[in-house]
Amino acid sequence: RLRATAVAQSDLIRALEDTPGMKLAFFDTCHAGALGWERARQRGLAADATELLNRLADAEVGVVSFHASTARQPSWEREEWGHGAFTKALVEALTGEAPGVRDPFLRSILDNDPLTHTRLHGYIAERVRQLTDGVQSPTYVAPSTVPDFPIARRR
């Protein structure tokens, strides 16, 4: 039911263009690095992920985008998580709660203030690799015109 449930690329871009301030977008889908373009192409749907990613990263739109996996990777989920590895890592980073994380690098990202978008990507990328035994590699696009702004602070 892709046609009935998907958001049109033009609608997504328009909404993000019209939104003031710093913007983050999270794409937690299989093959998120290509935003599902290959699968859409195989189904005969017109989709151009390169155009979408370039438009989001354009200085006018200025969206920092996070993708659950590369263009050729599935996104892993586990029933006990209730969602995928990417969302698990994102929630851990934003809440600061990752009781199972003993890795000094990851712990330092969570324990330092503030959490910026580059630090968030560092945490998500490493944590997802841990959770999936290196099978899934999140990607990230930040426009060169967007500074590394804080998105969360620990209380």
Side-chain angles (χ1 to χ4, degrees), residues 15-149:
L16 291 168
E17 282 176 331
D18 293 347
T19 303
M22 304 298 200
K23 296 168 266 200
L24 302 172
F26 299 91
F27 298 97
D28 189 1
T29 66
C30 289
H31 315 288
L35 296 179
W37 181 80
E38 183 62 27
R39 186 171 180 168
R41 187 186 65 72
Q42 290 170 353
R43 291 179 170 199
L45 302 174
D48 185 348
T50 303
E51 178 185 336
L52 176 59
L53 290 175
N54 287 340
R55 190 68 187 123
L56 292 179
D58 184 272
E60 288 180 25
V61 183
V63 175
V64 176
S65 61
F66 296 78
H67 317 109
S69 58
T70 68
R72 300 190 185 273
Q73 294 175 333
S75 295
W76 293 91
E77 296 182 7
R78 288 210 177 138
E79 197 170 313
E80 64 264 24
W81 299 337
H83 41 66
F86 177 82
T87 296
K88 179 175 176 51
L90 174 61
V91 169
E92 287 176 355
L94 293 178
T95 62
E97 297 176 18
V101 176
R102 308 231 187 292
D103 180 279
F105 170 73
L106 293 178
R107 198 74 254 160
S108 71
I109 290 174
L110 291 178
D111 291 343
N112 289 317
D113 199 18
L115 181 62
T116 64
H117 65 79
T118 57
R119 292 180 61 219
L120 177 61
H121 170 65
Y123 179 82
I124 289 173
E126 188 57 34
R127 183 67 170 136
V128 168
R129 283 187 205 105
Q130 285 181 351
L131 292 167
T132 65
D133 294 324
V135 175
Q136 183 177 332
S137 305
T139 61
Y140 160 82
V141 176
S144 59
T145 57
V146 174
D148 189 21
F149 58 90

